Amino acid sequence: MKRVTLSERPDWREKATEYGFNFHTLYGEPYWCEDAYYQFTLAQIETLEDATAEIHQMCLQVVDKVVASDELMTKFRIPRHTWSFVRNAWQTRQPSLYSRLDLVYDGQHPPKLLENNADTPTSLYEAAFFQWIWLEDQLNAGQLPANADQYNSLQEKLIGRFAELQSQHGFSLLHLACCQDTEEDRGTVQYLQDCATEAGLPNTFLYIEELGLGEKGQFTDMQDQVISNLFKLYPWEFMLREMFSTKLEDACVRWLEPAWKCILSNKALLPMLWQMFPDHPNLLPAYFFAEDDFPPMDNYVVKPLFSREGANVRVFEQGRETARVEGPYGEEGSIVQAFCPLPRFGDSYTVIGSWLVNDQPCGIGLREDRQIITQDLSRFYPHIIVD
């Protein structure tokens, strides 16, 4: 695994505009970066792919265990009035779309799971589409090794999955939603709409704020059309606490992502994994913070159960706090995870997002940050495979 510098494409900003990539710069800071790329061998990519598949299957075993236990549903802070809704989503195997595992990997040691972004993962468009365009352009310009490839079948798998949802699961019309005033989320959902359209699945967009509740308890869109299938880029931990959460079970909506994903996107997943698969080479020791029976650790990270984009995460080295990010989370409880330093290249730390469509690993995206805690404005870099 190497970080290699090279010249940017002279016209990449124009291309970004042409392709609707409107969030390549955020708050005046670069988000998409191509003054360098990461280079992997095929063996390293196969290591990442195998680890992703294995971790994912272990995570599904955790879901199976949690939904069967009132004690664990409580521990995951899933509101009691939504238990049967979440359980039914798992027991009826409501279909999923995609997810992203965040991994520590330096190309030499086994990849380690930091967390599972199974509910509302972003950086999809840039991983699936824009870094592939970068690869083709730089190959054509002679800027990359002639045999360079990329671990990236994300778009192909997404289109295939939307076709399956239509043919095998009876999706006839898909509504897609995200919150207003979030350019990155809107860009992600627009990309998913494009993939659904490519698959031949009719779809339409609305904002979460525009969701209505019909007289018979169904969710409706702005045209009072009943919503049967809804992709929402909106966290389950929010939805399960909304006023309308009492209506979720009777609304007859098939949700993407399904409600059982609220277990995978919860940091309580991490101590459960360690409990069920102790000393697994792709896991870091993790424990529930409120419990006193875990071994002392000099270097560890405290993560709230519902934290996103690094918010309220604290890093301790030799028992002393060395990094923290402020935010709105923490009251719901926290977990403790062994600290595993991210690989450092120059003045930046790098984390790998490993993507799955349904159960299939199919690509990676890399984020860099000068801080040890990866956050929402961490920079995205493309990658290649060279053997």
Side-chain angles (χ1 to χ4, degrees), residues 84-288:
S84 63
F85 172 66
V86 173
R87 283 171 167 152
N88 184 63
W90 176 248
Q91 289 157 357
T92 58
R93 293 303 189 268
Q94 291 297 302
S96 68
L97 182 59
Y98 73 122
S99 58
R100 190 191 80 230
L101 303 181
D102 284 350
L103 305 172
V104 180
Y105 184 56
D106 60 4
Q108 298 176 317
H109 301 92
K112 303 280 190 184
L113 177 68
L114 291 174
E115 59 190 55
N116 189 344
N117 296 279
D119 183 16
T120 57
T122 52
S123 77
L124 176 70
Y125 169 86
E126 46 275 38
F129 181 76
F130 206 68
Q131 72 167 337
W132 184 260
I133 297 297
W134 167 88
L135 175 74
E136 291 185 327
D137 286 349
Q138 294 291 41
L139 276 172
N140 290 335
Q143 295 293 314
L144 296 174
N147 63 336
D149 199 357
Q150 193 174 88
Y151 176 40
N152 189 1
S153 61
L154 249 171
Q155 180 162 299
E156 170 193 330
K157 295 283 197 307
L158 283 167
I159 293 168
R161 183 58 175 158
F162 279 123
E164 285 175 2
L165 292 172
Q166 187 174 27
S167 63
Q168 297 176 21
H169 298 278
F171 280 54
S172 54
L173 171 67
L174 177 65
H175 284 77
L176 298 96
C178 67
C179 289
Q180 293 174 338
D181 304 320
T182 53
E183 196 166 31
E184 183 182 2
D185 287 5
R186 182 66 188 99
T188 300
V189 174
Q190 180 61 61
Y191 175 64
L192 287 169
Q193 283 185 263
D194 293 344
C195 290
T197 300
E198 186 73 20
L201 175 58
N203 60 86
T204 186
F205 175 80
L206 75 164
Y207 287 109
I208 285 284
E209 293 86 348
E210 295 173 339
L211 274 174
L213 199 61
E215 290 180 7
K216 297 179 180 178
Q218 311 110 316
F219 290 106
T220 56
D221 63 17
M222 294 292 281
Q223 287 71 47
D224 292 327
Q225 184 174 16
V226 172
I227 295 172
S228 301
N229 309 294
L230 179 63
F231 172 88
K232 46 97 197 145
L233 202 63
Y234 187 69
W236 272 117
E237 69 262 21
F238 294 173
M239 286 192 71
L240 297 181
R241 288 161 174 77
E242 303 276 9
M243 196 187 311
F244 62 70
S245 61
T246 55
K247 310 291 185 185
L248 287 170
E249 195 156 19
D250 300 325
C252 298
V253 175
R254 278 183 298 192
W255 300 91
L256 290 175
E257 298 298 332
W260 54 263
K261 286 281 191 96
C262 74
I263 295 169
L264 295 184
S265 61
N266 188 315
K267 303 297 186 299
L269 171 76
L270 302 170
M272 285 298 300
L273 282 168
W274 188 250
Q275 210 176 88
M276 292 172 66
F277 307 98
D279 300 315
H280 190 283
N282 299 127
L283 299 177
L284 292 166
Y287 308 92
F288 287 98

Side-chain angles (χ1 to χ4, degrees), residues 114 298-304 310 312-325 335-342 349 371-374:
L114 291 174
D298 289 332
N299 303 319
Y300 59 92
V301 183
V302 178
K303 298 179 176 181
N312 298 101
V313 170
R314 294 180 291 153
V315 177
F316 292 82
E317 297 177 75
Q318 300 303 311
R320 186 175 62 84
E321 185 178 298
T322 56
R324 71 154 57 204
V325 175
I335 64 101
V336 179
Q337 184 183 50
F339 176 55
C340 183
L342 298 174
Y349 301 92
Q371 307 300 318
I372 196 70
I373 301 171
T374 307

